Short mmCIF file of all heavy atoms in Angstrom, two decimals:
data_model
loop_
_atom_site.label_atom_id
_atom_site.label_comp_id
_atom_site.label_asym_id
_atom_site.label_seq_id
_atom_site.Cartn_x
_atom_site.Cartn_y
_atom_site.Cartn_z
N HIS C 818 99.37 105.07 115.72
CA HIS C 818 99.16 106.31 116.48
C HIS C 818 99.73 107.48 115.70
O HIS C 818 99.13 108.56 115.66
CB HIS C 818 99.85 106.18 117.85
CG HIS C 818 99.91 107.44 118.63
ND1 HIS C 818 98.81 107.97 119.28
CD2 HIS C 818 100.94 108.31 118.87
CE1 HIS C 818 99.16 109.09 119.89
NE2 HIS C 818 100.44 109.33 119.65
N GLN C 819 100.89 107.27 115.08
CA GLN C 819 101.51 108.24 114.17
C GLN C 819 101.95 107.48 112.93
O GLN C 819 102.77 106.58 113.02
CB GLN C 819 102.71 108.91 114.85
CG GLN C 819 103.51 109.83 113.92
CD GLN C 819 104.74 110.40 114.62
OE1 GLN C 819 104.62 111.10 115.63
NE2 GLN C 819 105.92 110.11 114.10
N GLU C 820 101.41 107.83 111.78
CA GLU C 820 101.72 107.09 110.56
C GLU C 820 103.13 107.42 110.06
O GLU C 820 103.65 108.51 110.31
CB GLU C 820 100.69 107.39 109.47
CG GLU C 820 99.31 106.82 109.77
CD GLU C 820 98.42 106.81 108.55
OE1 GLU C 820 98.94 106.84 107.41
OE2 GLU C 820 97.18 106.80 108.73
N PRO C 821 103.76 106.49 109.32
CA PRO C 821 105.08 106.75 108.74
C PRO C 821 105.03 107.94 107.80
O PRO C 821 104.03 108.17 107.10
CB PRO C 821 105.40 105.46 107.98
CG PRO C 821 104.55 104.41 108.63
CD PRO C 821 103.30 105.11 109.05
N CYS C 822 106.11 108.70 107.75
CA CYS C 822 106.17 109.87 106.88
C CYS C 822 106.45 109.45 105.44
O CYS C 822 106.91 108.34 105.17
CB CYS C 822 107.25 110.83 107.34
SG CYS C 822 108.95 110.22 107.09
N SER C 823 106.18 110.34 104.52
CA SER C 823 106.54 110.13 103.12
C SER C 823 107.95 110.67 102.88
O SER C 823 108.38 111.61 103.54
CB SER C 823 105.56 110.86 102.20
OG SER C 823 104.26 110.34 102.34
N PHE C 824 108.66 110.06 101.92
CA PHE C 824 109.99 110.55 101.57
C PHE C 824 110.27 110.18 100.13
O PHE C 824 109.55 109.36 99.52
CB PHE C 824 111.07 109.98 102.50
CG PHE C 824 111.13 108.47 102.55
CD1 PHE C 824 111.97 107.77 101.72
CD2 PHE C 824 110.33 107.77 103.44
CE1 PHE C 824 112.03 106.38 101.76
CE2 PHE C 824 110.37 106.37 103.48
CZ PHE C 824 111.22 105.69 102.64
N THR C 825 111.31 110.78 99.57
CA THR C 825 111.71 110.49 98.19
C THR C 825 113.21 110.23 98.17
O THR C 825 113.92 110.41 99.18
CB THR C 825 111.41 111.67 97.25
OG1 THR C 825 112.32 112.74 97.55
CG2 THR C 825 109.97 112.15 97.41
N ALA C 826 113.71 109.85 97.01
CA ALA C 826 115.15 109.63 96.86
C ALA C 826 115.95 110.91 97.06
O ALA C 826 117.16 110.86 97.27
CB ALA C 826 115.45 109.05 95.47
N ASP C 827 115.29 112.07 97.02
CA ASP C 827 115.97 113.35 97.21
C ASP C 827 115.84 113.88 98.64
O ASP C 827 116.27 115.00 98.92
CB ASP C 827 115.40 114.38 96.23
CG ASP C 827 115.66 113.99 94.78
OD1 ASP C 827 116.78 113.54 94.49
OD2 ASP C 827 114.74 114.14 93.95
N SER C 828 115.28 113.08 99.54
CA SER C 828 115.15 113.49 100.94
C SER C 828 116.53 113.59 101.59
O SER C 828 117.52 113.05 101.07
CB SER C 828 114.28 112.50 101.71
OG SER C 828 112.94 112.53 101.25
N PRO C 829 116.65 114.27 102.73
CA PRO C 829 117.94 114.40 103.41
C PRO C 829 118.56 113.03 103.72
O PRO C 829 117.85 112.06 104.02
CB PRO C 829 117.59 115.16 104.69
CG PRO C 829 116.35 115.91 104.36
CD PRO C 829 115.59 115.03 103.41
N ALA C 830 119.89 112.98 103.68
CA ALA C 830 120.60 111.72 103.89
C ALA C 830 120.30 111.12 105.26
O ALA C 830 120.20 109.90 105.40
CB ALA C 830 122.10 111.95 103.73
N ARG C 831 120.16 111.96 106.27
CA ARG C 831 119.88 111.45 107.63
C ARG C 831 118.60 110.66 107.65
O ARG C 831 118.51 109.61 108.31
CB ARG C 831 119.81 112.63 108.60
CG ARG C 831 119.45 112.25 110.04
CD ARG C 831 119.52 113.47 110.95
NE ARG C 831 119.05 113.16 112.29
CZ ARG C 831 117.80 113.27 112.69
NH1 ARG C 831 116.86 113.68 111.82
NH2 ARG C 831 117.44 112.99 113.94
N LEU C 832 117.59 111.14 106.93
CA LEU C 832 116.31 110.44 106.87
C LEU C 832 116.44 109.15 106.07
O LEU C 832 115.98 108.08 106.49
CB LEU C 832 115.25 111.35 106.25
CG LEU C 832 113.81 110.84 106.27
CD1 LEU C 832 113.24 110.94 107.67
CD2 LEU C 832 112.95 111.65 105.31
N LEU C 833 117.09 109.23 104.91
CA LEU C 833 117.21 108.05 104.04
C LEU C 833 118.02 106.94 104.69
O LEU C 833 117.71 105.76 104.53
CB LEU C 833 117.84 108.45 102.71
CG LEU C 833 117.03 109.37 101.79
CD1 LEU C 833 117.78 109.61 100.49
CD2 LEU C 833 115.65 108.78 101.50
N SER C 834 119.06 107.29 105.43
CA SER C 834 119.91 106.25 106.04
C SER C 834 119.13 105.43 107.05
O SER C 834 119.37 104.23 107.20
CB SER C 834 121.13 106.89 106.70
OG SER C 834 120.77 107.65 107.83
N ALA C 835 118.19 106.06 107.73
CA ALA C 835 117.38 105.34 108.69
C ALA C 835 116.17 104.67 108.03
O ALA C 835 115.59 103.74 108.60
CB ALA C 835 116.89 106.30 109.78
N ALA C 836 115.81 105.12 106.82
CA ALA C 836 114.61 104.62 106.15
C ALA C 836 114.86 103.40 105.28
O ALA C 836 113.92 102.83 104.73
CB ALA C 836 114.00 105.73 105.28
N LEU C 837 116.12 102.97 105.13
CA LEU C 837 116.45 101.87 104.22
C LEU C 837 115.63 100.62 104.54
O LEU C 837 115.19 99.89 103.65
CB LEU C 837 117.94 101.54 104.30
CG LEU C 837 118.88 102.59 103.72
CD1 LEU C 837 120.31 102.31 104.16
CD2 LEU C 837 118.77 102.63 102.20
N GLY C 838 115.43 100.34 105.82
CA GLY C 838 114.66 99.17 106.21
C GLY C 838 115.26 97.88 105.70
O GLY C 838 116.47 97.66 105.76
N ALA C 839 114.43 97.02 105.17
CA ALA C 839 114.89 95.76 104.57
C ALA C 839 115.40 96.05 103.17
O ALA C 839 114.63 96.43 102.29
CB ALA C 839 113.74 94.76 104.52
N THR C 840 116.69 95.89 102.96
CA THR C 840 117.30 96.14 101.65
C THR C 840 117.43 94.81 100.92
O THR C 840 118.23 93.96 101.30
CB THR C 840 118.67 96.81 101.80
OG1 THR C 840 118.51 98.04 102.51
CG2 THR C 840 119.28 97.11 100.44
N LEU C 841 116.62 94.64 99.89
CA LEU C 841 116.56 93.37 99.16
C LEU C 841 117.62 93.33 98.07
O LEU C 841 117.69 94.23 97.23
CB LEU C 841 115.17 93.19 98.55
CG LEU C 841 114.89 91.88 97.83
CD1 LEU C 841 114.90 90.70 98.81
CD2 LEU C 841 113.53 91.94 97.11
N TYR C 842 118.42 92.26 98.07
CA TYR C 842 119.44 92.06 97.05
C TYR C 842 118.87 91.20 95.92
O TYR C 842 118.15 90.23 96.16
CB TYR C 842 120.66 91.34 97.64
CG TYR C 842 121.66 92.27 98.29
CD1 TYR C 842 121.28 93.17 99.28
CD2 TYR C 842 123.00 92.25 97.92
CE1 TYR C 842 122.19 94.01 99.88
CE2 TYR C 842 123.93 93.09 98.52
CZ TYR C 842 123.52 93.97 99.50
OH TYR C 842 124.43 94.81 100.09
N SER C 843 119.21 91.57 94.69
CA SER C 843 118.78 90.80 93.52
C SER C 843 119.92 90.75 92.52
O SER C 843 120.57 91.77 92.26
CB SER C 843 117.56 91.46 92.87
OG SER C 843 117.19 90.78 91.68
N PRO C 844 120.20 89.57 91.94
CA PRO C 844 121.23 89.50 90.90
C PRO C 844 120.87 90.41 89.72
O PRO C 844 119.72 90.44 89.28
CB PRO C 844 121.22 88.03 90.49
CG PRO C 844 120.60 87.31 91.63
CD PRO C 844 119.60 88.26 92.22
N ALA C 845 121.84 91.14 89.21
CA ALA C 845 121.58 92.05 88.09
C ALA C 845 121.31 91.32 86.79
O ALA C 845 120.92 91.94 85.80
CB ALA C 845 122.77 92.99 87.91
N THR C 846 121.49 90.01 86.78
CA THR C 846 121.26 89.21 85.58
C THR C 846 119.80 88.81 85.38
O THR C 846 119.46 88.24 84.34
CB THR C 846 122.11 87.93 85.63
OG1 THR C 846 121.89 87.27 86.88
CG2 THR C 846 123.59 88.24 85.47
N ARG C 847 118.94 89.09 86.36
CA ARG C 847 117.55 88.65 86.24
C ARG C 847 116.88 89.27 85.01
O ARG C 847 116.87 90.51 84.86
CB ARG C 847 116.76 89.02 87.49
CG ARG C 847 117.08 88.13 88.70
CD ARG C 847 116.22 88.50 89.89
NE ARG C 847 114.82 88.25 89.65
CZ ARG C 847 114.20 87.10 89.86
NH1 ARG C 847 114.89 86.04 90.28
NH2 ARG C 847 112.92 86.96 89.64
N PRO C 848 116.29 88.44 84.14
CA PRO C 848 115.67 88.98 82.92
C PRO C 848 114.44 89.83 83.19
O PRO C 848 114.04 90.63 82.35
CB PRO C 848 115.32 87.72 82.12
CG PRO C 848 115.27 86.61 83.12
CD PRO C 848 116.26 86.97 84.18
N SER C 849 113.82 89.65 84.36
CA SER C 849 112.61 90.42 84.70
C SER C 849 112.91 91.49 85.74
O SER C 849 112.03 91.87 86.53
CB SER C 849 111.54 89.47 85.24
OG SER C 849 112.02 88.77 86.40
N LEU C 850 114.11 92.03 85.75
CA LEU C 850 114.56 92.93 86.81
C LEU C 850 113.65 94.15 86.95
O LEU C 850 113.27 94.53 88.07
CB LEU C 850 116.00 93.37 86.54
CG LEU C 850 116.74 94.06 87.68
CD1 LEU C 850 116.82 93.17 88.91
CD2 LEU C 850 118.14 94.46 87.23
#
Side-chain angles (χ1 to χ4, degrees):
H818 170 76
Q819 174 184 299
E820 291 195 23
C822 70
S823 297
F824 57 93
T825 71
D827 297 317
S828 293
R831 177 175 174 270
L832 187 74
L833 293 182
S834 68
L837 290 166
T840 301
L841 184 66
Y842 275 54
S843 176
T846 51
R847 286 183 64 87
S849 59
L850 193 59

